[in-house]
Amino acid sequence: MAASASSLLADAASSSCGAISPRPRLLRGAPAAAFVPSPSRHSCCSLRASPARRHRSRFVASAVPTMQPPAESRVSTVVDVDLGDRSYPIYIGAGLLDEPDLLQRHVHGKRVLVVTNTTVAPLYLEKVAWALTHNNPNVSVESVILPDGEKYKDMDTLMKVFDKAVESRFDRRCTFVALGGGVIGDMCGFAAAAFLRGVNFIQIPTTLMAQVDSSVGGKTGINHPLGKNLIGAFYQPQCVLIDTDTLNTLPDRELASGIAEVVKYGLIRDAPFFEWQEKNMPELLAREPNALAYAIKRSCENKAEVVAQDEKESGLRATLNLGHTFGHVMAADMSHRLGWIDDSIKERVFAILKQAKLPIAPPETMTVEKFKNIIAVDKKVADGLLRLILLKGPLGRCVFTGDYDRNALDETLHAFCNN
Amino acid sequence: MAASASSLLADAASSSCGAISPRPRLLRGAPAAAFVPSPSRHSCCSLRASPARRHRSRFVASAVPTMQPPAESRVSTVVDVDLGDRSYPIYIGAGLLDEPDLLQRHVHGKRVLVVTNTTVAPLYLEKVAWALTHNNPNVSVESVILPDGEKYKDMDTLMKVFDKAVESRFDRRCTFVALGGGVIGDMCGFAAAAFLRGVNFIQIPTTLMAQVDSSVGGKTGINHPLGKNLIGAFYQPQCVLIDTDTLNTLPDRELASGIAEVVKYGLIRDAPFFEWQEKNMPELLAREPNALAYAIKRSCENKAEVVAQDEKESGLRATLNLGHTFGHVMAADMSHRLGWIDDSIKERVFAILKQAKLPIAPPETMTVEKFKNIIAVDKKVADGLLRLILLKGPLGRCVFTGDYDRNALDETLHAFCNN
């Protein structure tokens, strides 16, 4: 049997490499492009029970200016989400679905329900079922395959998950596994939160967006016809398993969607990461494995830090929604109109999004009126006041506030939308 | 303005009467029938800011053998549910809906959604809306009136609550109020848990069953076509407000349903309370106000103690489900077959239920096969094993266990159901 999660934790915590630093350790004066993974620095954290070497760490700056291949294959990193008795690890690496013990140590009970969709099932369902059951005859796996797409993130589709679990007579000692992108993770997580008032669940995100954002932090839910994510729960998984190999099958559009979230972390709280992205965007777009793995790791670390401080979004966590009410460019434009950031930051936001081939304007059909109606039901409205995440100060600083000049919001909406 | 909840707590905690005792203080040798409320012992806990006198207490034994009228009207008792930062008070008393400040101190934000049904709305909705808004012009109240009945405790009906909240553009700073029986409390609570991933809510139970059981402890949810309460959340209210005057409009059948839960507390953990019920059942059936108030208070105290020890039902809390898989009489019958209780306890269970005019057999249409199918999806099944709450030992003791002779279960099912 594999080492238990707790012994893995103990091993890492007692190692002398000090890999679990609360903040990234930066080498002063090192060039920005140097923030690349350096797995060879962490052999002290290797896991005897597994064929893979695994590094429980934030990240370590390196003076090597170019991307380096990992010393061996199947090197994984562990990022901890620190939430007291709801803490859990995020495993990041290539080929992690080929390591059954990683998943199996987080399964509770004998029965597993894999929730996935029609796009992902043909690609990875068999592999996941194998990983769950290999050398583990006590566990049986069932699956429910939902239609693919945001428009199915609704109550009717969610009911299919409950139907399957109830008809299969699942009890409280079971595990739900989300295999797919953000929609699947959000729906499976909410189903796990609500089925019998809460069963265990595991996230296996297969899109970059889900890997760097939606699978981490416990926000789950579905859409209401009048607004996104209006029904849901805060519910934490047992673990998040990110096999970066799954990105090889990801459409370009989906990759870009994930990169938008990666850019977000730089903008709201991590200027060095933003600078790294400015230099490494071509590698990210070319799906260079080390660049992707590093971007995922640094994104998860940023998210984990924020969530650990504010799990239920009473304040700080709301900053993670930059770009979710309106896009990064509109947030930058409005921040600039308010005089909160200088020209260069606004220009760099536009530039990096263009470089990432991301849109820098809403769809043609969007009008100011439509936009206002949509943001009126935004979850960040409190007592009728829309609070926004805006950039303020030097690169990597933002605020979450309802205290802004309404004219600046109007001007931004008019600058980007049709009347 | 009324005193805040925290100042009320501080007053009570700092009083010298020691009313918040972790366990009931029993006078040795006092007759069982003596467990009646004795409000005059607690004037040190009275609340200056309110016209009512209020007693934050467990209960105090009295040597007076008969029911006593309260010293004045509108005397309420407060039972605390101790759940750390999710703790809340249960207010119990006659005419509490005539005291606006009690409700208002627990409202968050400016907007309130009252969830009720077609039976309760004509009786109490206007009164509750008045209590929420009296001298409180900042708060606006909307309502959603659901059809009445267990068969509407489903996802379609729940969606009506979300629809109303979204269409009315409620934001996170709002309060849901459940006004009704167990179905309304469970649905409103789950809606509050899931709307925007959690908003504040208040329980105003209007049936005895809801007052003594379902409104306390944070279990919320809806039914699935294949089983009861299979979808839901553990979600605690801001307060529970029990106005015993609402029982004046309760049908006899609903009263009996509540008494079954009162009997449960005696059976599973409180022999003196069971003995009090044996002597005071006529008063309960006659809706004698003091008898009802005492039964409610003692039931809430028992439930609060259990929930405080085991909020998420990892063990102890499951004992509160006595009678929920099969009735009290079947549990007693099976316990007796197993040799776990003596003849007299079994007979007393039968006797008190007959006295309460409660059924002591399943419906005529129930067969052994049907029964087995239903209990197979019971939430207390774990890894395929049905765990039961059974009586064991002297009066007031029970166990929650899957370790019992299967033949005894079969014999009990055959003794009570058609083949």
Side-chain angles (χ1 to χ4, degrees), chain A residues 384-400:
Chain A
L385 176 69
L386 175 64
R387 295 169 297 172
L388 290 169
I389 299 98
L390 296 166
L391 306 179
K392 193 168 190 175
L395 185 69
R397 299 282 178 83
C398 71
V399 289
F400 172 52

Side-chain angles (χ1 to χ4, degrees), chain B residues 135-146:
Chain B
N135 285 337
N136 198 16
N138 285 333
V139 163
S140 69
V141 176
E142 309 209 34
S143 63
V144 56
I145 301 176
L146 305 177

Side-chain angles (χ1 to χ4, degrees), chain A residues 166-278:
Chain A
V166 176
E167 283 160 13
S168 305
R169 300 196 169 176
F170 270 58
D171 60 44
R172 282 178 177 160
R173 291 271 303 160
C174 70
T175 300
F176 284 16
V177 173
L179 173 65
V183 171
I184 287 294
D186 282 7
M187 293 185 77
C188 178
F190 185 39
F195 181 61
L196 307 181
R197 301 197 185 92
V199 297
N200 301 292
F201 99 107
I202 291 173
Q203 291 264 22
I204 307 181
T206 59
T207 66
L208 184 60
M209 194 281 289
Q211 291 173 352
V212 299
D213 192 0
S214 66
S215 73
V216 176
K219 277 195 181 179
T220 71
I222 58 170
N223 299 333
H224 184 275
L226 296 182
K228 274 173 65 68
N229 299 321
L230 299 185
I231 302 166
F234 288 98
Y235 198 68
Q236 304 296 342
Q238 297 296 307
C239 76
V240 180
L241 187 140
I242 298 174
D243 185 338
T244 53
D245 286 352
T246 59
L247 298 179
N248 295 333
T249 53
L250 194 68
D252 283 347
R253 185 187 160 89
E254 295 297 319
L255 186 79
S257 164
I259 289 176
E261 298 298 340
V262 172
V263 170
K264 172 188 79 180
Y265 293 110
L267 285 176
I268 63 169
R269 68 191 311 271
D270 193 343
F273 187 31
F274 186 85
E275 287 160 1
W276 177 88
Q277 294 162 29
E278 289 182 313

Side-chain angles (χ1 to χ4, degrees), chain B residues 85-147:
Chain B
D85 59 2
R86 294 182 306 289
S87 297
Y88 57 92
I90 305 168
Y91 304 111
I92 305 166
L96 297 193
L97 286 176
D98 299 318
E99 297 182 43
D101 55 299
L102 260 192
L103 269 182
Q104 289 179 17
R105 70 166 67 107
H106 294 287
V107 168
H108 290 203
K110 298 172 183 168
R111 304 189 67 187
V112 177
L113 180 64
V114 178
V115 179
T116 186
N117 67 29
T118 49
T119 305
V120 177
L123 298 169
Y124 301 111
L125 179 53
E126 199 175 328
K127 191 168 206 170
V128 167
W130 172 84
L132 287 163
T133 55
H134 181 68
N135 285 337
N136 198 16
N138 285 333
V139 163
S140 69
V141 176
E142 309 209 34
S143 63
V144 56
I145 301 176
L146 305 177

Side-chain angles (χ1 to χ4, degrees), chain A residues 109-110 155 159 162-163 166-167 169 171-173 190 193-197 219-220 224 226 229-234 313 373 376-377 379 381-384, chain B residues 109-110 155 159 162-163 166-167 169 171-173 190 193-197 219-220 224 226 229-234 313 373 376-377 379 381-384:
Chain A
K110 297 172 183 168
M155 193 60 87
M159 284 303 288
F162 294 126
D163 290 348
V166 176
E167 283 160 13
R169 300 196 169 176
D171 60 44
R172 282 178 177 160
R173 291 271 303 160
F190 185 39
F195 181 61
L196 307 181
R197 301 197 185 92
K219 277 195 181 179
T220 71
H224 184 275
L226 296 182
N229 299 321
L230 299 185
I231 302 166
F234 288 98
E313 193 162 314
N373 277 326
V377 291
K379 288 188 297 306
V381 172
D383 281 339
Chain B
K110 298 172 183 168
M155 192 60 88
M159 283 303 287
F162 293 127
D163 289 349
V166 176
E167 283 159 12
R169 301 196 169 175
D171 60 45
R172 281 177 177 161
R173 290 270 303 160
F190 185 39
F195 181 61
L196 307 183
R197 300 195 187 93
K219 277 194 182 181
T220 71
H224 184 274
L226 297 182
N229 299 321
L230 299 184
I231 302 167
F234 289 98
E313 193 163 311
N373 277 327
V377 291
K379 286 187 298 303
V381 172
D383 280 339

Side-chain angles (χ1 to χ4, degrees), chain B residues 335 339-341 345 390-399 401 403:
Chain B
S335 304
W340 291 359
I341 57 171
I345 293 179
L390 296 166
L391 306 179
K392 193 168 189 175
L395 185 69
R397 299 284 178 83
C398 71
V399 289
T401 182
D403 186 14

Side-chain angles (χ1 to χ4, degrees), chain B residues 259-273:
Chain B
I259 290 177
E261 299 298 340
V262 173
V263 170
K264 172 188 78 179
Y265 293 110
L267 286 176
I268 62 170
R269 69 191 310 271
D270 193 342
F273 187 31

